[in-house]
Amino acid sequence: QVVGLIGAFTFWPLAIHFPVQMYLAQGKVAPWTRRWIAIQAFSAACLIACGFASVGSAMGVFSPERS
């Protein structure tokens, strides 16, 4: 559970945010175009998914043991 929590916190910035920002800068994608909005929406969706994964992992780490 702890490894899942660490992975959930580090996945979005390392695997999604920085590569997307580099792509937008290198490709000179103009802001507020369809392409830019689609890429930003994908990044936001991945951020939300990582947020849910973080909450799930945190509940697994910090919840009391049930046996």
Side-chain angles (χ1 to χ4, degrees):
Q1 293 292 333
V2 174
V3 173
L5 184 61
I6 293 169
F9 276 125
T10 60
F11 176 76
W12 181 77
L14 296 176
I16 305 296
H17 180 68
F18 294 132
V20 162
Q21 294 303 318
M22 285 187 276
Y23 173 78
L24 292 174
Q26 289 177 349
K28 295 182 176 68
V29 178
W32 299 106
T33 59
R34 283 186 181 197
R35 189 178 194 182
W36 184 87
I37 291 171
I39 292 170
Q40 293 293 351
F42 168 74
S43 180
C46 289
L47 175 62
I48 291 169
C50 287
F52 283 126
S54 298
V55 169
S57 292
M59 288 181 69
V61 170
F62 300 118
S63 68
E65 288 287 324
R66 294 182 188 157
S67 54

